[in-house]
């Protein structure tokens, strides 16, 4: 973050800001006065002008510093885009008629590379008809309750999207003991509990975690038998996309499950015993998280880029797990075709400025740009 | 089909893993921590050392060692070998006795505990009645005499540890024969010493603490003689022929007593206070050794003048006109003399004095003039100055090995040439497979070179970097030569010297190239020395350069220590590694990483501010790179300011506490009349207190950010010849990894050998990788086209390694504390990763590539990563697929210094400190195993000797 601000400060000194705009497969580069960006209407006109599309209705979006594609449709978010861009403002233009609204939001730049999210969450799949309710605003999710359908009602699995916010995670954990039912009767066992929420932190603002909630799993790995320091290290290592399963201290606000059949995940229909699933799920969650953690490379002091994933070889672990998943997903009734095309596109990422594959959004070709 | 198998379920691989990996803790090197007792068997020629933690260690000839551990973990107070047996008895501080024996098992001897026993008095008797103070194993090997605090002497049958109650020697029985006017009941309190008559096993000498000494006839159960000492008794010693004995006392005196058949209450022959006339400290143990020339050796511990030398730990040797008080730097635990053990010999003829001090073992050669020390082949005091780092080099070429040994032998000329006198047992372990060096860096600026090939960790050579610098303590004014009076004739012995003149001299990183003999050493004040092995003494100027790591940063002030001052002009260096280049980092922060490339003649170094590359051929700084994050004030100012601020904050918090106490008292004073308020206050205080007490240990969960402290700290540096820019041309490169998860890669242009001096080495930054999880990078490695790690510099040139595969594409392995990641090269794309911390909650502390050979077939070996985690586990992770092979618990996770000190070897072994003075050696490989394997056999004189014993011609030499 700090680096980003420094970068911005550096180019602000020049007074102008570079804009790189993309419509279809075409790029336009021009500059703007950073101090006087003007109104959105003027900017919209300018874009139509430079792309020579004066009478086409378009949606304008930009990538913010987190790599998310966010819309520009009024003066406010236009000014925000200008003020946060550094040193380059990347603009993406889509025709309104073939616009894909699901492209906007968190993880949009990387999501499609991810095989697992597509397997797990068919509702994200863009082939599904998308109901447009309204224009997406300048927001992104910071937390969610997930896997409600496969967890026991007393448990809650919370996902914190640290990646999409500047807020600190903001909670503390401690050692404690909880009572478990065992074949030998009730037994006191050591456990890990949330001990404090930092005011204004992500954990507190979600309202999904509370003091004295017992932590059962971290990103699918059970914490029982692990020391406080181990669990701390696990959480920090997963901090970019932390998924904690807790047993809330207050059991009154639990999600009431209606019926099994309406589960959103293909998994749920198959899994009859919730207690047997966490392990499988754990590995899936691990996989899902991959997308959030792209390292950055600067080559020859050039522009920083996300490090692409190498085309998987048949022997790598990743490919192994992918193939396993593929295997499972076909069992669950999904067609593997999307995965195959994904693998193909993953291999092509390394080539810059390639003509986008039809039906696939062009955004991912260059990777997200994070400037130092 | 195979790819559907989950990892770890491949039966072939599982079988191979069993042939490759095996975890063993094999041997402890160094000096036992907190020794508490010493024993010696002249019969077995074995020495035993007991420790405060209940360990017992036996040492004989080099390579012969045994270890045992008492279950109770109590301090070992006394060790006594059973005469002419492979057995010994230990007394612990919980008053329990343990019988240990050396038994052969599977072709080698093993030390095993056979029995344990605690002396119990009659019901209702005080514990002191049975508190054992003196132990005498009788030469008949059938009984053990136990002197107690109550003055009774109990007799124990061996090996059953059964009390023979009818043979107990009670104080009452002793007093019967002694005129009452001289003694009373209190004279027989606390048995201080028990000694068997050297010629007549039926007589034992009993020394009581208050000064009474009685010669007791075991046959007739009566006292034959009594001796009235006026001073509190410390110890007794028989002369060889049994005609006289000597007693030593609390007031620093010793007395000789005659034993003759006609006089039942003899007067002392001689009473001396060797360091009188002023009050002296106690003499706690004494030996009287006869020689052929008639002049005895009198050797005793203590006795120094109380006021001026009462703090010395000394052992004095007097032989005719020669007298020396050996002065030890740590407390003397015990000592013994090695002398003629032949029972027929007329004289003792002592050959060596063996002293166990708290921190080291010192052996003095009494045969050579000047009584020089003997260089011990084991029990080295690793901590003579605190160990600050270690570095292991496997498979040293013979040439370099011999040169190091020859340099070391020149340093050891003051040692005696006497062969090691404790030489019992036979080492039957196979010869070590290769020559290994362990280098330890110390706080006083020295580097010690240890022979780590076998069971005995043996000092080969000691290198000091102090000469290069100007320090407050000039090495020329030695404590030994100046400032000592002539009387008492003190002489400093031993090497233990934990006091460092200047902490900045401390060694932090070591890198030795075994092919070229180049050595790079870096220290606490940012000093980097490059050295070359020279077989001769030499005087030369050390080239000096400064590396300003904060080049373009301004406005920062380093508040840590100053850089070391260097000596101007030529400096004289003794044969061995001689420095020729000194680079000093600015600011002079501790060097945190170091790499040397002997082929390219480059040395790279990193601190908490950045890193630099120095060309030691042209003696020119190639470049520096600042890695510091501008907001990282802590790293900028240096460690001392941090300490200061800690102190400050402590002081502040104390003040706050005090203030709050005062104010609450005041509050109470003011509102004293209204009891209600007072009560409320008290309640409030109590609640606050309770809250404080109940506040559990909690951990903050927060993502790491770029602004965290010490992100610029350079953790690892690595040279590689690889494809950095494009896949057609490979070039030399330098890689650096920081605490903040950044990896920098520099492309280097090293001129060809013929123009090496003419053209400068150039460097250009080619890549910068930021790991998004921002964990510290602890290892960087390039794998060649066959996925084999690149060889070390010069390894290929010396035909010791296959040249790396430059056809296939190279891969980059980056190991952070949390993850292992493989990237492709030259275009960096991520290929594989293993997220250790996310999965297991443990972090990588140490990582090395190790070669594992199969124990079944000679032709199979593979490279894996050996990893030590912060939980003290060792994990083996396969290359290049990063699959966990096996995990062993090795070090307790609370043992932070043990984990920090761990070093792996290239062949799957490792060392870590179990105490400041001891390395534990472990092995992960089935093939390379260094462990003691030795045999102790009863010398063949046994049956003969038995007759001797019975006939009463037993030798005094059998016990000590």
């Amino acid at each position: 973050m700090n680096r980003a601000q420094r970068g911005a400060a550096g180019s602000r000194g020049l007074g102008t800001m570079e804009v790189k705009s993309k419509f279809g497969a075409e790029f336009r580069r021009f500059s703007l006065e950073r101090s006087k960006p003007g109104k959105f209407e003027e900017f919209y006109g300018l874009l139509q002008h430079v792309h020579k599309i004066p009478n086409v209705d378009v949606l304008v979006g930009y990538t913010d510093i987190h790599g998310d594609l966010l819309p520009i449709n009024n003066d406010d978010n236009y000014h925000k885009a200008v003020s946060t861009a550094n040193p380059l403002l990347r603009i993406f233009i889509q025709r309104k008629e073939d616009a894909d609204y699901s492209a906007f939001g968190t993880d949009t730049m990387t999501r499609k590379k991810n095989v697992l999210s597509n397997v797990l969450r068919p509702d994200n799949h863009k082939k599904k008809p998308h109901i447009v309710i309204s224009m997406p605003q300048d927001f992104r999710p910071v937390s969610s309750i997930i896997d409600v359908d496969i967890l026991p009602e007393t448990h809650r699995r919370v996902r914190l999207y640290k990646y999409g916010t500047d807020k600190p995670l903001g909670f503390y954990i401690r050692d404690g003991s909880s009572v478990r039912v065992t074949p030998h009767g009730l037994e006191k066992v050591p456990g890990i509990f949330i001990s404090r929420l930092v005011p204004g932190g992500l954990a507190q603002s979600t309202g999904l975690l509370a003091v004295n909630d017992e932590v059962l799993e971290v990103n699918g790995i059970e914490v029982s038998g692990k020391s406080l320091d181990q669990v701390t290290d696990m959480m920090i290592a997963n901090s970019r996309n932390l998924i904690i399963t807790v047993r809330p201290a207050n059991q009154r606000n639990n999600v009431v499950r209606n019926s099994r059949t309406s589960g959103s995940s293909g998994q749920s229909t198959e899994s009859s015993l919730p207690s047997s699933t966490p392990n499988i799920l754990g590995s899936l969650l691990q996989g899902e998280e991959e997308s959030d953690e792209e390292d950055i490379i600067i080559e020859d002091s050039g522009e920083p880029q996300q490090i692409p994933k190498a085309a998987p070889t048949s022997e790598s672990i990743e490919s192994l797990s992918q193939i396993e998943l593929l295997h499972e997903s076909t069992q669950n009734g999904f067609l593997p075709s999307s995965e195959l095309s994904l693998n193909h596109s993953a291999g092509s990422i390394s080539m810059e400025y390639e003509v986008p594959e039809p039906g696939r959004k062009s955004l991912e070709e260059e990777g997200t740009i994070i400037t130092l | 089909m195979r790819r559907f198998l989950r990892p770890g379920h491949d039966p072939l691989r599982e079988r191979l893993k069993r042939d490759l990996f095996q975890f063993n803790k094999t041997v402890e090197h160094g000096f036992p921590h907190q020794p508490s007792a010493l024993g010696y068997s002249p019969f077995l020629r074995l020495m035993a050392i007991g420790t405060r933690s209940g360990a017992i260690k036996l040492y004989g000839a080099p390579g012969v060692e045994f270890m045992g551990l008492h279950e109770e973990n109590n301090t070992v107070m006394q060790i006594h070998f059973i005469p002419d047996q492979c057995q010994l008895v230990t007394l612990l501080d919980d008053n329990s006795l343990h019988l240990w024996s050396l038994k052969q098992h599977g072709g080698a001897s093993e030390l095993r505990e056979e029995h344990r026993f605690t002396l119990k008095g009659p019901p209702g008797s005080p514990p002191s009645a049975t508190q054992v103070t003196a132990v005498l194993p009788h030469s008949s090997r059938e009984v053990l005499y136990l002197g107690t605090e109550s003055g009774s002497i109990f007799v124990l049958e061996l090996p059953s540890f059964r009390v023979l109650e009818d043979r107990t020697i009670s104080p009452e029985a002793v007093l019967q024969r002694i005129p009452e006017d001289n003694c009373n009941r209190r004279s027989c309190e606390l048995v201080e010493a028990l000694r068997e008559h050297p010629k007549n096993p039926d007589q034992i000498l009993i020394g009581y603490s208050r000064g009474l000494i009685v010669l007791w006839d075991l046959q007739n159960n009566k006292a034959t003689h009594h001796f009235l000492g006026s001073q509190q008794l410390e110890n007794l010693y028989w002369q060889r022929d049994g005609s006289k004995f000597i007693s030593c006392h609390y007031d620093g005196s010793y007395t000789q007593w005659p034993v003759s058949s006609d006089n039942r209450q003899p007067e002392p022959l001689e009473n001396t206070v060797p360091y009188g006339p002023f009050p002296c400290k106690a003499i706690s143990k004494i030996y009287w050794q006869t020689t052929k020339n008639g002049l005895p050796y009198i050797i005793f511990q203590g006795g120094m003048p109380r006021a001026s030398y009462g703090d010395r730990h000394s052992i004095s040797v007097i032989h005719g006109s020669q007298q020396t008080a050996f002065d030890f730097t740590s407390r003397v635990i015990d000592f013994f003399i090695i002398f003629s053990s032949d029972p027929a010999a007329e004289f003792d003829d002592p050959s060596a004095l063996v002293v166990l001090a708290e921190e080291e073992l010192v052996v003095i050669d009494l045969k050579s003039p000047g009584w020089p020390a003997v260089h011990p082949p084991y029990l080295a005091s690793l901590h003579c100055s605190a160990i600050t780092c270690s570095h292991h080099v496997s498979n040293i070429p013979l040439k370099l090995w011999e040169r190091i040994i020859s340099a070391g032998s020149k340093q050891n000329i003051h040692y005696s040439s006497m062969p090691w006198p404790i030489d019992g047992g036979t080492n039957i372990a196979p010869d070590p497979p290769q020559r290994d060096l362990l280098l330890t860096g110390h706080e006083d600026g020295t580097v010690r070179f240890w022979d780590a090939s076998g069971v005995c960790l043996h000092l080969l050579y000691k290198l000091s970097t102090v000469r290069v610098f100007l320090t407050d303590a000039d090495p020329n004014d030695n404590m030994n030569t100046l400032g000592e009076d002539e009387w008492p004739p003190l002489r400093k012995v031993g090497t233990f010297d934990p006091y460092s003149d200047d902490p900045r001299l401390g060694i932090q990183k070591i890198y030795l190239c075994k092919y070229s003999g180049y050595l790079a050493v870096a220290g606490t004040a940012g000093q980097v020395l490059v050295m070359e092995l020279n077989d001769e003494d030499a005087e030369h100027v050390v080239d000096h350069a400064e590396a300003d790591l904060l080049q373009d940063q301004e406005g920062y002030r380093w508040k840590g220590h100053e850089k070391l001052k260097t000596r101007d002009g030529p400096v004289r260096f003794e044969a061995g590694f001689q420095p020729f280049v000194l680079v000093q980092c600015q600011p002079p922060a501790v060097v945190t990483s170091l790499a040397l490339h002997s082929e390219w003649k480059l040395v790279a170094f990193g601190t908490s501010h950045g890193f630099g590359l120095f060309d030691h051929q042209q003696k020119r700084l190639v470049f520096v790179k600042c890695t510091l994050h501008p907001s990282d004030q802590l790293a900028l100012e240096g460690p001392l300011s941090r300490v200061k601020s800690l102190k400050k904050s402590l002081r502040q918090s104390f003040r706050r506490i005090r203030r709050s106490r005062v104010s609450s008292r005041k509050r109470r004073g003011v509102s004293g009349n209204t009891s209600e308020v007072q009560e409320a206050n008290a309640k409030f205080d109590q609640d606050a207190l309770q809250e404080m007490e109940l506040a559990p240990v909690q951990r903050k969960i927060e993502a790491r950010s770029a602004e965290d402290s010490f992100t610029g700290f350079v953790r690892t540096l690595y040279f590689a010849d690889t494809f950095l820019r494009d896949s057609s041309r490979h070039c030399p490169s330098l890689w650096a990894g920081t605490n903040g998860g950044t990896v920098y890669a520099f492309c280097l242009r090293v001129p060809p050998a013929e123009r090496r001096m003419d053209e400068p080495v150039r460097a250009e930054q080619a890549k910068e990788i930021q790991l998004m999880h921002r964990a510290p990078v602890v290892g960087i490695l390039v794998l060649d086209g066959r996925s084999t790690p690149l060889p070390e510099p010069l390894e290929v040139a010396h035909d010791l390694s296959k040249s790396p595969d430059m056809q296939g594409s190279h891969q980059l392995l980056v190991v952070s504390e949390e993850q292992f990641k493989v990237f492709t090269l030259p275009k960096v794309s991520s290929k594989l990763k293993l997220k250790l911390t996310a999965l297991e909650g443990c972090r990588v502390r140490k990582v090395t590539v190790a070669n594992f050979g199969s124990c079944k077939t000679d032709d199979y070996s593979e490279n894996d990563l050996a990893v030590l985690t912060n939980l003290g586990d060792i994990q083996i992770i396969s290359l290049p697929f990063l699959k966990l092979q096996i995990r062993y618990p090795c070090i307790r996770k609370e043992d932070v210094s043990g984990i920090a000190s761990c070093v792996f070897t290239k062949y799957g072994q490792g060392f870590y400190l179990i105490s400041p003075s001891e390395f534990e050696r472990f092995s992960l490989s089935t093939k390379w195993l260094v462990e003691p394997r030795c045999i102790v056999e009863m010398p063949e004189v046994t049956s003969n000797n038995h007759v001797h014993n019975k006939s009463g011609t037993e030798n005094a030499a059998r016990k000590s």
Side-chain angles (χ1 to χ4, degrees), chain A residues 1-3 6 162 168-175 195-196 198 218 221 226-240 242 286 289-290 293-301 307-310 313-318 320 323-324 327 350 370 372, chain B residues 2-7 629-631 696-704 706-707 724-725 742 744 764-774 818-819 821 823-824 826-835 837-843 870-871 881-883 893:
Chain A
M1 286 307 295
N2 196 302
R3 285 172 174 224
R6 265 198 298 148
K162 166 68 185 140
L169 281 169
F171 65 101
Y172 290 74
I173 55 171
R174 62 166 170 91
D175 277 319
S195 62
R196 191 153 88 84
V198 176
V218 176
I221 313 270
K226 292 198 160 60
S227 70
L228 183 64
D229 288 330
Q230 264 176 289
V231 178
T232 307
D233 281 340
M234 283 169 72
M235 287 189 175
I236 292 175
N238 287 308
S239 58
R240 308 205 125 250
L242 186 58
Q286 277 296 318
E289 174 210 13
E290 304 283 326
E293 219 187 66
E294 297 300 333
D295 301 327
I296 294 170
I297 176 137
I298 304 173
E299 302 261 1
D300 293 326
S301 317
I307 295 180
K309 200 168 271 174
T313 63
S314 60
E315 283 165 315
S316 72
I317 288 180
E318 243 113 348
L320 193 65
I323 285 156
E324 273 169 39
H327 186 64
S350 55
I370 297 183
L372 294 183
Chain B
R2 274 190 63 186
R3 65 173 58 141
F4 289 100
L5 287 169
R6 296 199 85 92
H629 195 275
S631 67
V697 181
Q698 48 178 9
R699 295 278 182 275
K700 190 176 189 183
I701 308 297
E702 207 46 81
R704 259 185 296 273
E707 285 119 279
L724 199 53
R725 284 250 164 85
T742 314
Y744 300 93
E764 205 180 329
Q765 180 162 344
K767 288 185 196 313
E768 181 180 334
I769 302 170
Q770 175 61 56
L771 302 177
M772 285 319 282
H773 63 290
R774 295 193 186 277
E818 297 188 348
Q819 299 188 1
K821 287 196 145 176
F823 299 96
T824 57
K827 172 138 184 73
V828 177
S829 30
S830 71
K831 202 169 169 190
L832 278 182
K833 70 179 138 188
L834 172 64
K835 298 169 97 176
T837 308
L839 291 168
E840 297 184 26
C842 57
R843 305 168 68 85
N870 65 335
L871 303 180
F881 301 124
L882 302 181
K883 286 185 196 171
K893 69 175 177 209

Side-chain angles (χ1 to χ4, degrees), chain B residues 789-800:
Chain B
L790 292 184
E792 279 177 52
L794 294 174
E795 202 170 24
V796 175
H798 284 71
D799 277 339
L800 286 157

Side-chain angles (χ1 to χ4, degrees), chain B residues 319-556:
Chain B
H319 178 61
S321 59
Q322 289 179 64
Q323 179 165 357
T324 300
F326 293 103
D327 185 9
F328 298 88
T329 50
S330 56
R331 197 165 60 90
V332 172
I333 303 296
D334 202 355
F335 71 101
F336 63 83
I337 310 290
I338 297 174
F339 51 86
S340 167
S341 59
D342 177 8
E346 203 178 331
F347 302 104
D348 291 319
D349 226 5
S351 55
L353 161 67
V354 180
V355 183
L356 177 70
E358 192 150 42
E359 306 291 356
E360 63 186 326
L361 181 81
V362 176
V363 178
I364 306 284
D365 174 6
L366 296 175
K367 292 235 154 164
S368 311
W371 299 333
V374 185
H375 192 48
Y378 46 66
L379 284 167
S381 285
L382 298 169
H383 61 321
C384 38
S385 168
I387 293 180
T388 43
C389 65
S390 23
H391 174 72
H392 186 274
V393 191
S394 302
N395 216 351
I396 303 285
L398 185 62
K399 187 92 177 52
L400 178 69
W401 188 256
E402 284 170 344
R403 290 176 73 193
I404 291 172
I405 287 177
S406 107
S409 64
K410 285 175 193 155
Q411 296 179 322
N412 290 340
I413 40 171
H414 59 280
Y415 280 116
S416 161
S417 57
M418 176 195 232
W420 184 244
I422 303 163
D423 54 2
T426 319
N427 180 8
I428 53 167
D431 279 341
Q434 56 188 26
R435 290 168 296 272
D436 288 356
L437 264 185
L438 181 67
L439 280 67
T440 52
H442 297 262
E443 204 181 22
D444 63 353
T446 57
V447 178
R448 283 172 169 79
F449 289 63
W450 305 91
D451 173 0
S453 327
V455 168
C456 292
L457 193 72
H458 177 67
L459 182 66
L460 295 177
Y461 165 70
K462 181 180 131 184
L463 163 75
S464 176
T465 61
V466 182
R467 279 185 168 281
V468 183
F469 305 103
L470 272 176
T471 55
D472 299 337
D474 202 290
N476 293 331
D477 62 43
N478 203 314
M479 292 267 281
N480 287 346
T481 50
L482 289 170
E484 288 289 6
D485 298 331
E486 272 180 29
W487 189 261
L490 286 166
R491 192 175 111 195
K492 270 239 182 322
V493 282
T495 53
F496 180 71
D497 176 20
Y499 306 106
S500 168
D501 297 329
D502 191 337
R504 294 177 298 168
L505 291 168
I507 305 294
Q508 297 294 337
K509 294 284 161 195
I510 304 170
Y511 189 95
L512 172 70
C513 171
K514 61 184 177 186
Y515 303 109
S516 62
Y518 280 118
L519 173 72
V521 163
T524 306
Q527 74 271 33
V528 180
L529 284 160
V530 187
M531 317 197 193
E532 211 172 2
L533 189 54
N534 186 348
D535 300 323
E536 303 294 330
D537 287 17
E539 188 164 339
H540 59 81
V541 179
V542 178
D543 278 285
H544 178 213
E546 203 163 275
D548 183 7
L549 296 173
L550 282 185
Q551 273 188 328
D552 37 4
Q553 311 270 344
E554 272 176 30
Y556 297 122

Side-chain angles (χ1 to χ4, degrees), chain B residues 1 16 153 187 189 215 359 453 507 851:
Chain B
M1 240 352 255
L16 183 58
I153 295 155
S187 310
E189 273 177 6
L215 186 60
E359 306 291 356
S453 327
I507 305 294
N851 186 273

Side-chain angles (χ1 to χ4, degrees), chain B residues 52-55 69-75 90 92-94 96-98 100 113 115-118:
Chain B
R52 297 242 299 254
S53 53
L69 188 65
H70 292 93
E71 257 173 46
E72 294 85 350
N73 289 336
N74 280 320
T75 301
T90 55
L92 304 193
D93 70 347
D94 64 351
S96 62
L97 286 159
H98 301 254
W100 295 81
E113 188 179 346
H115 284 291
R116 67 187 60 197
F117 170 78
T118 305

